Amino acid sequence: MSRDVLVVGETLIDWVPERSGPLETVDGFERRPGGAPANVAVGLARLESPPLFWTRVGDDPFGRYLERTLADHGLPDRFVERDADAKTTLAFVTHDETGDREFTFYRDGTADTRLEPGRIDDATLADCEWVHAGGVTLSSGPAREATLDVLERAAAADCTVSFDPNARSELWADDETFARVVGDALAHVDLCFATVAELEALGIGGETPTASARRAIDAGGPHTVFVTRGEEGAVAVAADDAPWPAAAVDRPGFAVEAVDTTGAGDAFVAGAITALRDGCGLADAVTFANAVAATATTDAGAMAALPTREAAATLLERESD
């Protein structure tokens, strides 16, 4: 039996608009479960590899709804915490005619900011092959220390550690704090998943996405960097010390009719982790992750649209014909 995957981070409610346009012009919203790490965790479960998931929700109707949703997707509740003294985070999503989206958060002192260091014990990490975390819990509260703590100890326990900065400027005091704290996290990371804009916010730029990925590796920390480019696909670069062959690959996205891009990046992460754990090389991992991400955009909501292996395989087969 393969060792566990542990995902760390927020679970929240996404309020998805009934139509595109600025937040002030939208009259109605639909409640959807979300949060980047939660999406990754459910994405892994949908791809037949349910992980452990460390998260914290409020002891309120939204928190109980999220707990039930995670359980319905087959995630164990061992590290799903309920906070009696804090509310569940809410995020209002807006998107334009192309499906691209923005978020407005209600997250002041909410449950996911109150993750506490030490909740994940050393024995759990010893049983884990892979640990993945996102950057939102680094933005404030004791969750910052808790996230850095588990990343550092996971690296020391010889887990493969992956990280998504998931930059949301509204949640950070300033750009300098974001760059400093995320830089601290990257010191413990083997794989980084980021956009070009996120790398630039970290002071890592390049003339091309591949050049940006190489600079991120040269800056120290990750041996493998994936740069996601939305409908254009993704690039990935692996250094000589990666556990898969060193490579630089660029794979296009898949042509689909996008309904909602919320969670597509999280779907990509779940697809890449699944493929690499299955023993795929970097090129095949990027192709599979692109298929998972593209399929996830064809329905509304981040978590609800996460595809099965069969759905991703269907898209791959269609494109190969």
Side-chain angles (χ1 to χ4, degrees):
M1 176 181 290
S2 61
R3 294 161 61 199
D4 288 330
V5 175
L6 170 68
V7 178
V8 176
E10 74 280 358
T11 311
L12 51 78
I13 299 291
D14 281 330
W15 291 97
V16 179
E18 60 186 11
R19 62 178 177 81
S20 60
L23 187 62
E24 61 267 25
T25 69
V26 178
D27 296 322
F29 297 84
E30 183 176 358
R31 179 191 67 178
R32 299 273 185 163
N39 294 335
V40 172
V42 170
L44 289 167
R46 295 279 289 169
L47 295 170
E48 302 173 11
S49 301
L52 299 172
F53 182 35
W54 180 31
T55 193
R56 192 175 180 97
V57 297
D59 187 8
D60 56 25
F62 293 133
R64 291 188 285 276
Y65 162 70
L66 291 171
E67 287 179 327
R68 185 172 67 251
T69 299
L70 295 175
D72 288 345
H73 283 289
L75 296 180
D77 63 2
R78 179 179 171 190
F79 296 114
V80 177
E81 302 175 350
R82 184 185 294 184
D83 193 323
D85 300 313
K87 299 295 185 182
T88 300
T89 293
L90 307 180
F92 287 82
V93 185
T94 54
H95 52 74
D96 60 24
E97 299 296 339
T98 68
D100 288 334
R101 73 280 186 273
E102 295 182 354
F103 295 86
T104 299
F105 290 91
Y106 289 79
R107 192 176 172 265
D108 186 10
T110 51
D112 63 273
T113 71
R114 290 156 55 95
L115 290 172
E116 299 174 350
R119 274 286 291 124
I120 305 299
D121 55 65
D122 291 340
T124 296
L125 292 176
D127 287 338
C128 285
E129 174 189 11
W130 197 297
V131 174
H132 175 78
V136 165
T137 50
L138 291 174
S139 63
S140 61
R144 176 181 296 175
E145 181 184 353
T147 304
L148 290 172
D149 170 73
V150 76
L151 291 176
E152 181 176 6
R153 290 193 298 115
D158 203 28
C159 304
T160 296
V161 180
S162 60
F163 178 75
D164 171 10
N166 197 21
R168 299 285 180 259
S169 59
E170 176 186 346
L171 300 178
W172 290 87
D174 49 61
D175 294 343
E176 291 74 17
T177 303
F178 169 78
R180 174 178 56 80
V181 175
V182 172
D184 290 342
L186 288 174
H188 310 298
V189 167
D190 298 302
L191 297 90
C192 178
F193 298 90
T195 65
V196 168
E198 287 169 335
L199 292 178
E200 289 175 345
L202 294 169
I204 302 169
E207 294 183 355
T208 66
T210 299
S212 296
R214 290 192 186 280
R215 287 196 62 190
I217 292 171
D218 292 342
H223 55 57
T224 303
V225 174
F226 293 81
V227 182
T228 55
R229 300 182 295 155
E231 64 182 11
E232 296 182 8
V235 305
V237 176
D240 291 338
D241 59 339
W244 31 82
V249 300
D250 185 341
R251 292 292 181 270
F254 292 89
V256 296
E257 187 172 340
V259 173
D260 183 5
T261 62
T262 307
D266 308 324
F268 181 94
V269 172
I273 292 173
T274 297
L276 291 172
R277 292 187 74 230
D278 284 349
C280 291
L282 202 62
D284 287 342
V286 174
T287 298
F288 180 72
N290 278 341
V292 174
T295 307
T297 69
T298 59
D299 199 358
M303 199 175 289
L306 291 165
T308 62
R309 279 183 184 260
E310 290 76 14
T314 297
L315 180 56
L316 287 167
E317 289 169 3
R318 187 195 78 187
E319 291 299 312
S320 66
D321 290 342

